[in-house]
Amino acid sequence: NAGVTQTPKFQVLKTGQSMTLQCAQDMNHEYMSWYRQDPGMGLRLIHYSVGAGITDQGEVPNGYNVSRSTTEDFPLRLLSAAPSQTSVYFCASSYSAGARPQETQYFGPGTRLLVL
Amino acid sequence: QKEVEQDPGPLSVPEGAIVSLNCTYSNSAFQYFMWYRQYSRKGPELLMYTYSSGNKEDGRFTAQVDKSSKYISLFIRDSQPSDSATYLCAMSAKSSASKIIFGSGTRLSIRP
């Protein structure tokens, strides 16, 4: 198993550009989520999904869109990039959707995004 | 005020020492408590998971939860240089288990 994979590893954008961060898992996990990690702020939940076709907002959803058309993929879209979105983005997945997704949450290696 | 507070460190201890890492929280609804380890430029990995109060031990690691004080701890015995990493606490409520709130992380360095 590849686990949780993320592409690209690193990206530079100009303000106003859009892009999609890719996340895929091959563990047949129901629960997937996106976090951003900023210095001194820890990980903050952006959006999450408890299964294909079901998504919900986390702590910091503004400026980001998600969709979940398959169990394996959970892309994160930046609609119009802003310098405040410069961060490291992590995707995570877990097989325990609903009650206890936190029991076995696996993280991807992260995407470093710089918005100029 | 943040829901979860964690001292950012850095914390530097000699090899073999017992390490104590802590978090405090304000939301009394939190029931699930986790500790993650994150090496530099890597994704976090789940170390320990506990539900409600009490202790849990796994090898050199012990997690403690004191819900009355809203305080959780992670102890590392016989610390090794390979334990040098950032340690993040995380927690969630039973009613919104999918919304996991993380602390900001404590940077730990074990000196050989």
Side-chain angles (χ1 to χ4, degrees), chain A residues 88-101:
Chain A
V88 182
Y89 291 84
F90 288 101
C91 179
S93 76
S94 167
Y95 69 76
S96 299
R100 284 181 269 191

Side-chain angles (χ1 to χ4, degrees), chain A residues 31-35 43-50 55-61 98-102 105, chain B residues 3-4 27 29-32 34 90-102:
Chain A
Y31 177 81
M32 295 185 75
S33 55
W34 277 102
Y35 294 87
L43 286 153
R44 290 183 290 169
L45 183 64
I46 304 171
H47 286 286
Y48 65 97
S49 169
V50 298
T55 63
D56 204 349
Q57 296 181 349
E59 294 176 82
V60 289
R100 284 181 269 191
Q102 56 278 77
Q105 186 158 238
Chain B
E3 281 190 282
V4 179
N27 188 345
F30 286 149
Q31 294 268 42
Y32 303 108
M34 289 76 69
M91 43 198 85
S92 63
K94 201 171 187 179
S95 59
S96 54
S98 301
K99 291 193 175 182
I100 300 169
I101 308 299
F102 281 79

